[in-house]
Amino acid sequence: MLARVSSSPTFKRLPRAVREQQMLDAAVKVFSRRGFHAASMDEIADDAGISKPMVYAYLGTKEELFIACLHREGTRMMEAIAGAVAPDLPADERLWRGLRAFFGFVGAHRDGWAVLYRQARASQPFAAELATMRGRLVEVVAGMLDHALRAEGREVGATDLEVVAYALVGATESLADWLADHPEADPEKTATRMMNVAWMGAAQLLHGVTWHPPAT
């Protein structure tokens, strides 16, 4: 007598944390490929090799799943930058290491960058989540500039520091978007290009050199 074979799918039992990471990996790929609105929970579940009810049970609705992806990718990016930048380094090396870590993250996680930057900025409430993460990055950059200026015996107002930090972060994000579209591009060379643009301006600021509009 032949044994009865079940037609229902079976799933290997894994620790919850491991299973959640599998779901997030699959979700990031699908969201980057389809966009938030076109992505389906069925496709995410298929890519993760699990059932759709399990996705809902672990990570909630599609909106909640997207936010979980956003938080994970943002945390990974900030950890990569923080792990590369030591407070006792010279100012230029701190900025260089931060840029290299940032572009290295984008180069290694292009799908994650698509979710973090392109998809999130286009939709509410995800744009607000992205703005919060960008604000944290701006605080890190402003702190690095302030530390460097104080080491040179100079102080710059908080608003000026914030403006420069926003400008550097914005330019860096735009170049990262370019990197994500050019898989042949080297992340470290991209970081070097950005460093040349950013540091030439920052070095002038450190030495008190500023531009003023002509008198009229």
Side-chain angles (χ1 to χ4, degrees):
M1 184 184 223
L2 292 175
R4 193 171 200 184
V5 178
S6 173
S7 60
S8 60
T10 59
F11 305 105
K12 183 180 178 181
R13 294 184 66 84
L14 293 171
R16 183 184 181 94
V18 174
R19 183 68 79 188
E20 284 184 355
Q21 292 307 309
Q22 284 185 342
M23 294 180 196
L24 290 171
D25 288 342
V28 165
K29 290 178 182 177
V30 174
F31 284 134
S32 68
R33 186 165 64 235
R34 305 287 189 196
F36 171 75
H37 294 292
S40 72
M41 296 294 269
D42 289 298
E43 186 175 5
I44 291 169
D46 286 344
D47 275 24
I50 59 172
S51 66
K52 185 167 73 170
M54 189 179 289
V55 178
Y56 282 109
Y58 274 60
L59 294 166
T61 65
K62 186 166 79 165
E63 290 80 3
E64 290 169 328
L65 177 57
F66 189 91
I67 290 174
C69 292
L70 190 60
H71 285 169
R72 189 189 71 169
E73 297 307 303
T75 299
R76 283 180 168 181
M77 182 184 73
M78 293 300 295
E79 287 176 347
I81 295 170
V85 179
D88 57 340
L89 293 171
D92 59 338
E93 190 171 349
R94 292 182 74 204
L95 181 58
W96 157 243
R97 289 194 180 194
L99 288 171
R100 185 172 61 180
F102 173 76
F103 286 109
F105 171 85
V106 174
H109 302 90
R110 295 173 197 268
D111 288 341
W113 179 253
V115 168
L116 189 63
Y117 190 65
R118 294 176 178 172
Q119 300 295 332
R121 70 182 174 182
S123 304
Q124 290 290 353
F126 311 131
E129 295 279 346
L130 180 60
T132 299
M133 293 181 189
R134 181 182 288 122
R136 291 202 298 267
L137 190 56
V138 167
E139 287 178 5
V140 170
V141 173
M144 289 171 60
L145 292 173
D146 185 47
H147 182 272
L149 286 163
R150 290 179 185 277
E152 294 281 333
R154 298 191 63 248
E155 290 188 26
V156 173
T159 299
D160 288 332
L161 281 173
E162 184 180 31
V163 168
V164 172
Y166 265 105
L168 289 175
V169 170
T172 302
E173 287 178 341
S174 294
L175 191 53
D177 216 22
W178 175 87
L179 177 64
D181 281 337
H182 293 78
E184 76 285 356
D186 179 21
E188 185 155 335
K189 286 184 179 178
T190 305
T192 303
R193 293 186 178 106
M194 186 64 220
M195 182 66 187
N196 279 304
V197 172
W199 185 248
M200 295 307 293
Q204 296 280 67
L205 179 66
L206 288 174
H207 292 94
V209 179
T210 57
W211 179 87
H212 299 280
T216 55

